[in-house]
Amino acid sequence: MKIILLGPPGAGKGTQAAMLMERFGIPQISTGDMLRAAVQTQSSLGVKAKKIMDAGGLVPDDIVVGIVHDRLQFEDCQKGFILDGFPRTLAQADSLKQVLAELDKPLDAVVSLQVDIDALVARLTGRRTCVDCGKGFHLQYDPPTQDGLCSVCGGRLILRDDDREETIRNRMKIYQEQTAPLEDYYRAEGLLIDVDGMADISTVQQAIVMALSGSLS
Ligand code: AMP
């Protein structure tokens, strides 16, 4: 199964992708996670990306397209993949189309999580991320078992710079301007599935799985 999860920051793409990965045994490909890994290693790409990410901007298309192009050729993508946070612009969607045609891996579906922007701002400011393993928590919806500490590895939980309120507002604006047009792009290709992203995590997951089974049958 080859799918894209589409939705604004905080819509729950990462959480849903991780659950789909377990269920279907296919990798979650998150450009945000890969860029954060580059930031951690302080590679030249990481140093360049950090400034843009901290301000809530978009890393240049050629960089993210290159990262995804390389990642899709790994052995674990044979059975499929879940793209999370990519594509984010029409140019990225066009490049992805070319890459997938080259690899003969056409998309099965694009799941679009429908959410309310004000609720998202609240969701994002409550997010906490483990400095060591990158696992995400939410103070209200998915709290860690011990305050301030990762339930998986015990690492310290932090508020990501790009989850601060003014950065979030900028990210939402960029989403509306650059990423939201992808809904029409994929609707025109007959791939778009709308799912209500405001329900609780497991209800959203069920809705996605049901919609996917419909689109694959
Ligand atoms: P995310 O974890 O998906 O919210 O991504 C965090 C940040 O990484 C974004 O705010 C962007 O600065 C950058 N980023 C992630 N994916 C992309 C992408 N497909 N295109 C451009 N920038 C991206």
Side-chain angles (χ1 to χ4, degrees), residues 9 13 30-33 35-36 49 52-53 56-61 64 84-89 92 127 160 162 171:
K13 298 187 299 295
S30 158
T31 40
D33 284 351
L35 289 167
R36 279 185 288 279
I52 300 170
M53 291 166 77
L58 290 186
V59 173
D61 290 334
V64 277
D84 157 17
F86 179 92
R88 260 174 155 98
T89 64
Q92 290 179 18
R127 286 207 313 200
R160 271 167 38 185
D162 59 349
R171 293 171 74 199

Side-chain angles (χ1 to χ4, degrees), residues 38-120:
V39 169
Q40 285 252 317
T41 61
Q42 297 185 341
S43 62
S44 60
L45 160 65
V47 173
K48 188 171 171 195
K50 183 173 188 328
K51 283 197 195 122
I52 300 170
M53 291 166 77
D54 285 352
L58 290 186
V59 173
D61 290 334
D62 56 334
I63 294 183
V64 277
V65 168
I67 293 178
V68 172
H69 177 267
D70 293 350
R71 180 66 184 85
L72 284 173
Q73 308 199 38
F74 284 27
E75 181 67 28
D76 65 346
C77 294
Q78 286 293 343
K79 270 174 47 191
F81 49 80
I82 306 151
L83 287 171
D84 157 17
F86 179 92
R88 260 174 155 98
T89 64
L90 288 169
Q92 290 179 18
D94 280 338
S95 300
L96 176 66
K97 196 190 280 187
Q98 276 181 22
V99 169
L100 294 179
E102 254 173 50
L103 299 174
D104 195 21
K105 292 181 195 287
L107 286 171
D108 295 305
V110 177
V111 175
S112 173
L113 295 173
Q114 302 294 313
V115 285
D116 169 54
I117 296 281
D118 286 337
L120 288 192

